[in-house]
Amino acid sequence: MKVAKFGGSSVADASMIQKVAQIIRSDQDRKFIIVSAPGKRSKTDIKVTDLLVELGKKHEANEAVDDVKAKIIERFQTMINNLALSSAIVDDIKDTIDGVLYDESLKDNRLDSLKAMGEDSLAKVLSAYLQSLGEEATYINPRDAGIIVSDEPGNAQVLDESYEKIYRLRDHKGIMIIPGFFGFTKDQKLMTFPRGGSDITGAIIAAGIKADLYENFTDVDSVYCVNPNIVENPKEISELTYKEMRELSYAGFSVFQDEALIPAFKAKIPVCIKNTNNPEKEGTMIVSDRKNPITGTVVGIASDKGFLSLYVSKYLMNREIGFGKNLLQILVDEGISFEHAPSGIDDMSVIIRKDEFPKEKEQVVIKRIQEELDVDMVTVERDLAMIMLVGEGMNSTYGVASQSTQAFANASVNIEMINQGSSEVSVMFGIKEDELEKAVQSLYHVFFENKIKV
């Protein structure tokens, strides 16, 4: 059995839904289908989820909502007309929107209920379309599918007891269309997942039914070894391990949010990234253990902007028991999450995403560090970018570091920070944001174009 998830670009309009239906019908093992809300039809278009969020905010502010509601209805009306489906589906969507907006019992999680409507409505449309083609297709609400989640609006986590219930779906006949992005608490309150919500649903269903394969259909043929917006026509990756994919997605790869596939990973279910517009392409397989040998150690180069470094120096820091704990506790007290904390004998840097550390908090944190930790120096360096080289076993392979530093030197880029963890999967470099593109291009040239075996 296969679970197939289709992202927002794959269900943006009627023509894409027709492609999705063809893909589903081409393989009888594709029995469990997860869908996102309709995405952008063009670069200037607006995602349906964004319209639903806008609707919720306007309603909360007691502003007029008719214009936004009309845009949402128009998206589904056009889709249904082009698919020659019953207008009763649109009537149901209208009634549901009004019900959510004006039901006082939904006051505490109204926004979650609205956000979920994009996926929920699309699942009903796809189910109806497959039925019109003669397929035995059924819309399955996440409540009926058995997706039980924690009571955390916008940040729901699946509960372990869900998987036994989800496994029973294997006995269901025909094709099941399940909306992504949300589940229900034990008290039957709708809660949405965090970023990558539909991917999370797909991974949960795949783990629950013990799928043979989880196919994730998007708008690219495969995962590329580097951002194609930085390097033209980069090489495709045919196979990745779970660890490598998590490292890459954390550090800027846009195919997945870094935690989205954890349920599938834990169950060791292989995942295949495929293109809805080119479904015959093999795509990229993500597996627990690599079966095919690789020609080099580095499989991918990820990069991301928007970081800063909090640098602290104190003579004999290494002899002061609890210094690192006390430093990080200050960040905890101020509600600041950190990403990395490379350290030396007398100094320590804490890498933080800049949206976690607004300037109004900077002086507060610096003052506390100076007064409570009695340091020699504390500074903040903003506008940093992180570049991550990823490949299992890389840390135990000779030459990676020297080739990397040579690539930075070739691009005349200064390295602000190096962090090589113990996972043997990645090494991270911190540089100035305005030097990101030339640094990544130089690294790509060294590790992929020259085909250097290190």
Side-chain angles (χ1 to χ4, degrees):
M1 291 183 178
K2 295 179 182 179
V3 172
K5 179 262 175 181
F6 294 90
S9 61
S10 299
V11 294
D13 58 23
S15 64
M16 291 304 300
I17 288 178
Q18 289 170 333
K19 290 181 182 180
V20 167
Q22 186 175 355
I23 290 169
I24 294 169
R25 301 179 77 197
S26 69
D27 188 341
Q28 62 181 3
D29 287 336
R30 290 182 180 127
K31 187 175 178 181
F32 302 89
I33 310 301
I34 315 300
V35 293
S36 296
K40 292 184 178 183
R41 295 163 293 186
S42 65
K43 289 184 178 180
T44 58
D45 200 11
I46 303 174
K47 296 179 180 180
V48 166
T49 300
D50 291 337
L51 289 171
L52 289 164
V53 170
E54 182 183 355
L55 179 67
K57 290 181 177 179
K58 283 183 176 292
H59 175 79
E60 187 69 23
N62 291 317
E63 297 177 8
V65 299
D66 289 347
D67 287 349
V68 181
K69 187 162 68 171
K71 291 178 182 178
I72 296 167
I73 298 300
E74 185 273 332
R75 284 292 299 268
F76 287 105
Q77 183 71 68
T78 301
M79 190 181 292
I80 286 166
N81 289 345
N82 292 337
L83 293 173
L85 298 177
S86 169
S87 60
I89 299 174
V90 176
D91 294 336
D92 178 62
I93 294 172
K94 290 178 182 177
D95 292 341
T96 304
I97 289 177
D98 288 337
V100 171
L101 284 177
Y102 303 109
D103 186 344
E104 284 304 308
S105 69
L106 297 176
K107 184 177 180 180
D108 294 336
N109 65 322
R110 193 185 312 281
L111 185 57
D112 276 38
S113 297
L114 282 171
K115 288 192 296 184
M117 281 198 60
E119 282 79 4
D120 198 53
S121 300
L122 196 284
K124 293 174 182 177
V125 171
L126 178 58
S127 176
Y129 181 60
L130 286 168
Q131 291 170 11
S132 74
L133 299 177
E135 297 292 338
E136 186 178 3
T138 308
Y139 157 81
I140 304 287
N141 187 280
R143 180 196 291 112
D144 301 323
I147 302 177
I148 307 169
V149 299
S150 59
D151 192 345
E152 299 175 83
N155 192 39
Q157 306 296 312
V158 66
L159 302 185
D160 288 342
E161 60 201 83
S162 300
Y163 295 109
E164 183 178 350
K165 295 179 181 295
I166 292 169
Y167 186 79
R168 299 170 188 168
L169 292 176
R170 292 172 62 100
D171 297 329
H172 196 286
K173 292 183 179 180
I175 302 166
M176 283 155 280
I177 313 298
I178 305 170
F181 192 33
F182 68 100
F184 286 84
T185 67
K186 293 180 181 179
D187 296 332
Q188 301 304 310
K189 290 192 291 186
L190 186 153
M191 295 288 160
T192 58
F193 294 119
R195 291 181 307 159
S198 293
D199 290 329
I200 294 172
T201 301
I204 290 169
I205 295 296
I209 68 158
K210 302 186 187 303
D212 299 312
L213 179 67
Y214 171 28
E215 297 177 309
N216 196 292
F217 284 86
T218 181
D219 54 4
V220 295
D221 282 344
S222 62
V223 176
Y224 297 105
C225 66
V226 70
N227 187 339
N229 294 318
I230 297 177
V231 175
E232 188 176 354
N233 297 320
K235 295 182 185 297
E236 298 177 359
I237 303 175
S238 60
E239 188 176 57
L240 281 170
T241 65
Y242 295 157
K243 287 182 179 179
E244 290 167 344
M245 187 67 220
R246 177 153 163 74
E247 296 279 353
L248 289 169
S249 60
Y250 162 77
F253 267 46
S254 60
V255 176
F256 290 115
Q257 190 266 342
D258 62 308
E259 298 181 0
L261 298 183
I262 287 177
F265 290 176
K266 285 183 176 179
K268 294 188 176 182
I269 294 168
V271 178
C272 187
I273 313 299
K274 296 179 74 70
N275 190 346
T276 307
N277 294 304
N278 192 12
E280 300 306 316
K281 192 78 183 289
E282 290 185 1
T284 298
M285 287 294 298
I286 308 174
V287 297
S288 56
D289 299 299
R290 179 176 284 106
K291 296 179 181 179
N292 301 320
I294 56 175
T295 57
T297 305
V298 177
V299 299
I301 304 170
S303 57
D304 202 7
K305 295 182 179 181
F307 294 90
L308 60 85
S309 174
L310 175 66
Y311 173 78
V312 179
S313 177
K314 184 176 183 180
Y315 186 58
L316 298 179
M317 179 192 294
N318 65 314
R319 295 190 183 183
E320 188 173 330
I321 296 174
F323 182 90
K325 172 182 175 295
N326 294 334
L327 172 60
L328 296 179
Q329 186 61 50
I330 292 174
L331 298 181
V332 172
D333 293 344
E334 299 299 331
I336 299 167
S337 176
F338 77 97
E339 303 292 320
H340 311 279
S343 63
I345 297 174
D346 294 326
D347 52 38
M348 181 174 180
S349 294
V350 183
I351 307 302
I352 305 169
R353 289 190 183 270
K354 65 182 181 183
D355 56 1
E356 286 278 337
F357 199 67
K359 290 194 175 182
E360 56 266 24
K361 282 192 176 183
E362 182 176 319
Q363 293 306 314
V364 175
V365 170
I366 289 177
K367 184 178 180 181
R368 286 194 60 184
I369 292 172
Q370 290 171 333
E371 293 178 351
E372 297 174 28
L373 304 181
D374 190 26
V375 299
D376 300 324
M377 180 188 297
V378 53
T379 60
V380 174
E381 184 177 6
R382 293 181 174 270
D383 302 321
L384 294 180
M386 296 294 149
I387 298 176
M388 184 181 285
L389 301 183
V390 175
E392 286 216 38
M394 186 172 59
N395 289 9
S396 59
T397 303
Y398 294 112
V400 175
S402 63
Q403 296 292 343
S404 302
T405 53
Q406 185 60 54
F408 284 107
N410 292 345
S412 300
V413 173
N414 186 51
I415 300 173
E416 306 289 333
M417 181 273 292
I418 300 177
N419 187 25
Q420 189 166 12
S422 59
S423 65
E424 296 194 358
V425 179
S426 66
V427 57
M428 180 175 286
F429 300 91
I431 63 170
K432 290 292 189 181
E433 281 188 346
D434 58 3
E435 297 182 317
L436 177 64
E437 290 197 9
K438 63 179 181 179
V440 170
Q441 289 164 356
S442 184
L443 286 164
Y444 179 81
H445 176 71
V446 166
F447 287 105
F448 292 95
E449 292 184 332
N450 285 354
K451 297 182 181 179
I452 293 175
K453 295 182 181 180
V454 295

